[in-house]
Every structure is written in structure tokens, then in C-alpha cells.
Amino acid sequence: MRFGVAIVVLATLLLAPAAAQVPGRPITIIVPYSPGTGIDILARALGHELSQKWGQPVVIDNKTGASGNIGTQVAARAAPDGQTLLMVAKTFVTNVSLFKNVPYDPVKSFAPIIKLATGSIVLAVHPSVPAQSVPAFIDYVKAHPGAVNYGSPGFATPHHLAMELFKHATQTSLMHIPYKGSSSVMSDLVGNHVSAMFIPTHVALPFARDQQIRILGVASTERVAAAPEVPTLIEQGVAGFEVDIWFGMLAPAGTPADVVARYNGAINEFLRSPAITATLAKQGLITAGGAPEVLAELIEKDMAKWHNVIQQAGITAE
């Protein structure tokens, strides 16, 4: 009789759903990038909010390396109990097409919680380039095939991939000059060592105001509030051209739906706060929010989009 009861108890435990979040236990937010980056700043602001709201300690764990793959793998293997979260950026979906072996599946390994924020990027050129608009720049590049160069902070960065998409969309040829970091490539754009570049809007604007670079267009579907006078690339005839920077939050696959919903509700409330809106604005970001499905759809859409770009351009990170 006792043996039979034990079997029933064991079967009940094996069939039970994943453990729900335990109040009081530390929450770990894994950031697969270095401290001080935009995604890290956002994670720390969010961690502070959750800690204050729920009375739980929140630890920010920067696990860097392999373009974010190391920290992402750790998160994918964590217990699906709501105590471990992962901050992600666009590279989360591009890495699967860049690396031969990626230790996670962007769709199957995680439960989306929320899209946190988006940032716009612009196409900019050195003032010596004789183009005042995107169509004029396209004509200039086509008149000098392969002779016009562009810079990026490195291979497979969003800046690099944006220009590869631009080249494909406009049937133009530009020579890529990769750098190691954003500051060095910006210095060379200002110094006229590279002619063009896609740059986050908030980074580009101070240089444009000082007439050190010229902004030709915004890569978003709509004009941005920080530079309403700058038309989009779509307005200027580059049909369907949309590139942005986005950040999201995930949990390991199997995290209970009620835990995901709890985080989603708390973070949506956080994103509506004027203080966080102002903090993100300084980083050139606009708060997003919404249901987990918004992030899920974005991940699948961007995976397919950037896979095509990477394959067409023959880009590899290895």
C-alpha cells in the first residue's frame, strides 16, 4: 500500500508544471554585454524598479563574450522558475545566421516577456560627399561603383548589416571598412577617412549640428521626434527599408505563464513612468511595452529578415 502511494506521489511530481516564482529569492537578470552599455543601463534601471516593487534583491549578471552567445546560453539552461531573466538586443536574432554553432534557439529556448525599447538609426555621410538626399547619394555611389567606402564598428554589427541591406535594396556597391568600436569609426567619418555610415540617431545628431557629418535619412518607418526635419529612407524612395535597434526581455522556455504575465504587467507599468522615459531618451531610445506576443512576433520576423541579408552578403562572424 505504501509503495502504491509513493508511485502516485512520484507521478504527481513528475507531471506537475514548472515551479512558480518564489517570493524573496534573488532575481538574476543576465546581460550578455559589458557594463555601461545601453542594454546594461536599461537592465539596471529595470532591476532597481523590480527590487523596489516586489521587495526582492535583483542581481545584474554581465556574462559577456561571443557576441552575446555565452550569456544567452547560460540563460537558456537556467531553471524556468522566474528567477532568471535575459536581456536581449538585435544580435540575439542575427547570431543564429552568423555563427555555425549557436547554443540556443531564439524561439524554442525562451519565453518572451516584453519588448522594452527601440532606437532609430540614420544614414550619414561626410560633408565632402556631394549628396544632400538619399536618392542623390544612391546616384553618386552608382556613378563610382566600389569606390565609395563606409564604416562600421565591426563585422556583423547592426551598422554593418544595415548598410548591407541598403546595398541590396538600392543595387549599389560600397566598400566596407570595419573598425573595433564605435568611437574610432566615428572619428574617421568626421575625419573623412570613411564616406558613409549608419549611426544611432542620438549619436549622430551632435555631429550633424556641428556640421561635421550630414544626415541623409532615418531608417525607421516614421520620422523621429529628435530630428523631425529628416525624412525617412522610405519617403525618399527606398521601399520597405526599416532598420532599428531594439531591446527585449526573455525567460527560459517553460517558465509558467502566470510568472511571465506578472513580469509583463510590472514592466509595462515601469515603461510608462516619465522617469524611465526620460532616462531612455538620453540613450536615444523610445519605450515599447505591450504583450509578450509583440516580442515573439518581432523575433521571428527579424530572424527571417536578417538571415536573408546575411546569406546574400556572405557575412560570417567566424
Side-chain angles (χ1 to χ4, degrees):
M1 184 70 175
R2 289 179 180 174
F3 179 74
V5 170
I7 292 295
V8 172
V9 171
L10 178 59
T12 301
L13 290 173
L14 290 174
L15 293 173
Q21 187 180 16
V22 180
R25 280 180 54 197
I27 297 168
T28 298
I29 300 178
I30 295 177
V31 179
Y33 303 98
S34 303
T37 53
I39 191 171
D40 178 70
I41 293 169
L42 178 55
R44 292 178 189 278
L46 180 53
H48 177 76
E49 173 70 12
L50 291 175
S51 180
Q52 294 294 309
K53 189 177 186 67
W54 292 343
Q56 290 179 256
V58 177
V59 178
I60 307 300
D61 188 1
N62 296 91
K63 289 191 178 299
T64 62
S67 192
N69 285 342
I70 291 176
T72 304
Q73 179 183 24
V74 171
R77 294 178 176 178
D81 56 8
Q83 304 305 132
T84 302
L85 306 175
L86 174 69
M87 297 285 291
V88 293
K90 186 184 286 287
T91 50
F92 172 73
V93 296
T94 58
N95 281 352
V96 292
S97 297
L98 292 167
F99 292 87
K100 293 180 181 178
N101 297 298
V102 175
Y104 64 89
D105 183 301
V107 175
K108 296 179 181 179
S109 301
F110 297 96
I113 293 176
I114 193 168
K115 180 183 177 183
L116 295 166
T118 60
S120 61
I121 65 173
V122 295
L123 174 59
V125 297
H126 185 267
S128 65
V129 174
Q132 302 291 328
S133 67
V134 172
F137 179 65
I138 294 170
D139 290 342
Y140 175 72
V141 173
K142 287 184 175 180
H144 304 82
V148 181
N149 60 28
Y150 76 95
S152 81
F155 276 105
T157 55
H159 316 64
H160 177 201
L161 297 180
M163 190 63 85
E164 290 301 325
L165 179 61
F166 177 82
K167 287 165 57 179
H168 178 74
T170 60
Q171 296 298 294
T172 52
S173 174
L174 294 93
M175 182 175 64
H176 181 210
I177 302 180
Y179 288 73
K180 291 184 178 180
S182 298
S183 59
S184 53
V185 66
M186 279 302 304
S187 294
D188 273 10
L189 177 61
V190 171
N192 197 21
H193 299 294
V194 292
S195 297
M197 183 180 170
F198 274 98
I199 316 169
T201 304
H202 75 290
V203 175
L205 284 175
F207 293 97
R209 292 183 184 119
D210 289 342
Q211 299 184 341
Q212 294 176 297
I213 63 173
R214 180 185 306 123
I215 296 175
L216 300 182
V218 181
S220 307
T221 55
E222 298 179 355
R223 297 191 185 198
V224 297
E229 74 284 358
V230 179
T232 67
L233 274 76
I234 295 173
E235 287 179 80
Q236 298 181 73
V238 187
F241 192 89
E242 178 188 2
V243 181
D244 60 12
I245 300 167
W246 57 262
F247 300 106
M249 176 168 281
L250 308 171
T255 299
D258 62 331
V259 174
V260 170
R262 183 175 185 236
Y263 274 117
N264 180 269
I267 297 171
N268 265 308
E269 185 179 336
F270 166 70
L271 293 175
R272 289 192 291 268
S273 133
I276 191 59
T277 300
T279 297
L280 291 180
K282 293 178 183 177
Q283 301 296 319
L285 300 172
I286 300 172
T287 57
E293 289 76 18
V294 172
L295 179 57
E297 291 171 5
L298 175 62
I299 289 171
E300 294 207 34
K301 174 186 171 185
D302 260 18
M303 276 182 62
K305 173 180 179 177
W306 294 110
H307 175 77
N308 290 336
V309 173
I310 290 164
Q311 291 295 306
Q312 290 163 353
I315 304 169
T316 177
E318 299 178 309

